[in-house]
Amino acid sequence: MLRAVLNQRKTAVAVATRACLPNSAVSRRGFADHQPNRHKDAEEEADIGVDPPVSLYARIATTVLIGGGSYYLYTEYGSAIARHLPWPANQPSDTQPSAAATEAMSRKSRLQARLVPKSELTYQEQVNWAWTHPGLYVVGSNEYGLVDPMHPGQGVGLRAAVPGLEGKLLRGAAFAKTHAAAADTDGSLYQWGTGFTAGSAPHMPQCTLRDSGITAVAASRDYVVLLDRKSRISLVRGDNSQVAEQAPPTLEFEPRLGWRENVVAVSAGEDHLAATTSSGHIYTCALGPSGNDRGQLGHGSTAVEPFVLRRIKSDRSFTSAVCGGRHTLLLTADGDVWGCGANDFGQLAMGNYSEATRTIPEPTPLRALWEQGIFQPAKASTLRIAAGAKSSYFQVSRSGSDLDLLAVGCGINGQLGNGTFAHIQGRPTRIAALSGVSEIDPETGLRRPVGVRSMSANGSSDHVAIVCDNHTNVKLDKSAQSVAKSPIFGYDVVVWGSNSGGQCIPDRKHRFAEPVHPPPLYFSKSSEGQDQQPSRLQAAPRQWVSTSSFQNSGPNSGSSSKYLVEQEFVTGSDVTAAFLKPV
């Protein structure tokens, strides 16, 4: 306070002194004589406490900080705060939304409320609900009709059961950007989406194959990849150019599969696929002209020969292969990880970015995963791998029984899960929320690590869905009577990454840079209006179910079958889906 008073007095004295000078004294000063006075003025300004000018960079940083914080607060709490503000009853017409916008918002709200599955069961009974309500449940954007093909182009953050698949157990489901496919236990293939219909007209999923013995489904940008019980890999166009009921072409293996060698899994990227065999071999195939433009087939070059499955030359035995957008990850039998293809964002864990490692045309070990770049199975090994569009994920077991989840690649949408939005990450980063987690086993009283039961990333998506391997109170019951018991606790489900279509949390708009718990798949009428903790989604564990207990299927034909099932979660472009799968 004293300093402020002194500064004011100094200012007043300086002004008065200048006013007393004769005009002739000032006019006689030339330009050269006037220059030193500028320095005196600056010294006087410094003496009277005038603040120095703020740099441009400081202004920009302050603006970005305030703007970013305001946007976050708006997306997180804007609607909640607005409900409690004393808004005037009659707002000016220029601030009110147009009639068309009001009708569009009202139509979206009605669509969301109508599509979300509803049940009399509480959220504590969601595992029982999943066992008795099979089908395909999808959350996210409906721009291409993947959530609700009867209303394509309408709504984001929708939760819906895909029409026509109610009451069906599925062998698999896959989502590309504009088309989707699912196969049921009868071997029938269903396809839908605006890419499939080549238009935005409302439609139901169309059965394009019957009795085909499908065991696995994958989807690329243009094709649906099918694996059947005879280890044949077939392609079906993602659009409707192929006649229904016509057997799709079968891809040839070069060299052919060995005696009693079977294909156990398939994975598809943006324009390529990889197949894993029971003998530890990996076959890859280009599904178009750009199917090997970054060496993602792992044959040592970028040459392309579409629609031919060629074996990757290696003396290693592989147990798994997954396809990212334009890269491929291979997991060896002893827990090492190899990779090939695009590495622009560090998705192949080759360390810091360099032009020499942008493209890796042949399988190369991901040495950055291991301490000092040396793979030592006795100290650490990889249990599970997954690949997103430009990112990769690894569950690693340490010697001390600790389980870590690591990520590399592009994290601009938060898909690295480490709380940052890094553009390039060439060295593994630890996802803290899912690493080093443990729990007390109530049966043994011992501490056990909580790992990952299943991990889904997609070659066309920037988000991840994980089912945790936490303890449940489910006991296998071949009588299929346990589906009526309550409460049943399942596996925790977490998601993170891009949320532009509401595929992680339907009611939010922003990206998630750390794992979060999504809400249940259905709306509980029994829990409506009750004050309770927010419920989180749980996956139904493995259990025997009877088709006679399904409550959302059509008229019962009289025959009843029992299946050992488990709920599976898959991701696609701006969507997340769940279904009951026979195991």
Side-chain angles (χ1 to χ4, degrees):
M1 184 70 181
L2 181 60
R3 180 177 177 82
V5 172
L6 293 175
N7 289 339
Q8 292 178 356
R9 290 183 178 178
K10 288 182 180 181
T11 304
V13 171
V15 172
T17 302
R18 291 177 182 176
C20 294
L21 289 175
N23 294 334
S24 59
V26 176
S27 61
R28 286 195 301 267
R29 294 172 186 171
F31 178 78
D33 295 334
H34 187 66
Q35 293 302 313
N37 290 335
R38 293 192 175 184
H39 300 288
K40 294 180 182 179
D41 293 343
E43 293 175 357
E44 291 178 357
E45 290 178 353
D47 290 339
I48 63 177
V50 177
D51 294 332
V54 181
S55 69
L56 177 61
Y57 298 105
R59 294 178 182 178
I60 295 176
T62 303
T63 303
V64 171
L65 180 62
I66 295 175
S70 302
Y71 177 76
Y72 175 80
L73 292 176
Y74 168 74
T75 56
E76 282 285 348
Y77 310 108
S79 59
I81 295 175
R83 288 196 296 267
H84 301 286
L85 293 178
W87 299 106
N90 297 318
Q91 296 183 3
S93 58
D94 57 347
T95 63
Q96 294 181 349
S98 64
T102 302
E103 175 60 25
M105 289 188 292
S106 177
R107 185 168 59 250
K108 176 184 175 181
S109 299
R110 292 195 303 269
L111 183 64
Q112 289 177 325
R114 183 177 63 80
L115 290 179
V116 61
K118 301 175 179 62
S119 174
E120 297 293 341
L121 298 179
T122 64
Y123 289 136
Q124 284 69 34
E125 300 172 288
Q126 59 179 295
V127 171
N128 308 74
W129 179 86
W131 282 336
T132 55
H133 293 76
L136 182 61
Y137 298 90
V138 188
V139 180
S141 170
N142 199 44
E143 179 180 1
Y144 301 103
L146 303 185
V147 181
D148 176 31
M150 294 300 295
H151 300 85
Q154 298 186 25
V156 296
L158 299 184
R159 284 185 291 172
V162 176
L165 299 180
E166 301 94 338
K168 293 183 180 293
L169 299 176
L170 301 180
R171 297 288 182 187
F175 296 82
K177 184 175 183 179
T178 63
H179 66 93
D184 64 10
T185 53
D186 297 328
S188 298
L189 178 68
Y190 296 87
Q191 294 180 260
W192 68 97
T194 58
F196 171 71
T197 60
S200 58
H203 61 281
M204 291 284 288
Q206 181 178 341
C207 181
T208 55
L209 286 176
R210 295 185 185 276
D211 302 323
S212 55
I214 301 171
T215 59
V217 181
S220 70
R221 180 183 57 198
D222 299 321
Y223 291 93
V224 176
V225 182
L226 306 176
L227 172 65
D228 65 16
R229 286 190 291 264
K230 297 181 179 180
S231 291
R232 294 177 299 191
I233 297 179
S234 307
L235 298 179
V236 175
R237 291 285 303 183
D239 57 37
N240 199 11
S241 63
Q242 209 161 349
V243 181
E245 308 296 335
Q246 177 182 344
T250 301
L251 301 181
E252 297 292 334
F253 291 85
E254 290 190 7
R256 300 182 62 179
L257 296 177
W259 172 249
R260 305 191 70 176
E261 182 179 14
N262 301 314
V263 178
V264 296
V266 292
S267 177
E270 181 178 324
D271 211 13
H272 75 291
L273 71 87
T276 308
T277 74
S278 57
S279 298
H281 297 141
I282 303 296
Y283 287 81
T284 56
C285 173
L287 300 179
S290 62
N292 194 37
D293 59 346
R294 303 302 301 276
Q296 56 263 50
L297 299 186
H299 299 312
S301 70
T302 57
V304 179
E305 186 180 359
F307 311 118
V308 177
L309 281 162
R310 294 192 181 277
R311 183 197 297 174
I312 291 180
K313 297 179 180 179
S314 176
D315 57 355
R316 307 297 296 270
S317 177
F318 299 99
T319 59
S320 177
V322 295
C323 297
R326 292 188 175 184
H327 69 286
T328 307
L329 300 178
L330 313 174
L331 178 61
T332 66
D334 56 358
D336 198 3
V337 183
W338 295 51
C340 56
N343 188 46
D344 304 82
F345 299 91
Q347 57 264 52
L348 294 182
M350 297 293 171
N352 296 333
Y353 175 85
S354 73
E355 286 292 328
T357 58
R358 283 189 66 244
T359 296
I360 309 297
E362 59 183 359
T364 304
L366 277 57
R367 289 293 173 247
L369 291 176
W370 315 116
E371 185 178 354
Q372 298 179 352
I374 301 175
F375 173 60
Q376 303 179 61
K379 293 185 177 181
S381 61
T382 306
L383 304 179
R384 185 173 281 106
I385 57 176
K390 301 170 185 175
S391 54
S392 304
Y393 307 90
F394 318 89
Q395 185 190 17
V396 176
S397 174
R398 307 293 182 185
S399 57
S401 298
D402 290 334
L403 297 176
D404 286 345
L405 189 61
L406 308 178
V408 293
C410 180
I412 197 67
N413 286 313
Q415 61 265 47
L416 294 181
N418 63 349
T420 69
F421 298 95
H423 187 61
I424 298 176
Q425 182 71 42
R427 298 187 181 278
T429 180
R430 188 170 179 261
I431 302 178
L434 297 172
S435 299
V437 182
S438 61
E439 65 180 3
I440 300 297
D441 192 327
E443 297 180 355
T444 63
L446 301 177
R447 185 175 297 275
R448 62 180 290 269
V450 177
V452 174
R453 189 167 186 86
S454 67
M455 181 163 49
S456 177
N458 185 280
S460 61
S461 69
D462 286 334
H463 73 289
V464 187
I466 278 184
V467 178
C468 299
D469 192 24
N470 56 281
H471 177 78
T472 72
N473 62 344
V474 175
K475 304 294 182 184
L476 288 180
D477 179 13
K478 283 195 173 184
S479 67
Q481 299 300 315
S482 294
V483 296
K485 296 179 180 179
S486 179
I488 298 295
F489 303 104
Y491 300 118
D492 287 333
V493 180
V494 293
V495 293
W496 70 90
S498 173
N499 193 46
S500 58
Q503 62 267 38
C504 290
I505 306 295
D507 298 329
R508 302 289 181 88
K509 299 178 181 179
H510 63 83
R511 304 163 292 176
F512 292 93
E514 293 180 309
V516 293
H517 294 277
L521 295 172
Y522 65 94
F523 175 77
S524 172
K525 296 180 181 179
S526 301
S527 301
E528 185 177 9
Q530 299 181 7
D531 293 331
Q532 60 178 3
Q533 294 293 327
S535 297
R536 60 192 192 187
L537 177 60
Q538 288 191 324
R542 188 168 298 190
Q543 185 58 282
W544 289 94
V545 298
S546 173
T547 55
S548 61
S549 66
F550 295 166
Q551 299 179 15
N552 62 338
S553 57
N556 198 330
S557 60
S559 60
S560 176
S561 302
K562 293 181 180 179
Y563 292 91
L564 180 62
V565 300
E566 184 172 341
Q567 194 172 30
E568 183 169 319
F569 285 77
V570 297
T571 59
S573 179
D574 294 340
V575 295
T576 304
F579 57 92
L580 273 184
K581 178 180 179 179
V583 294

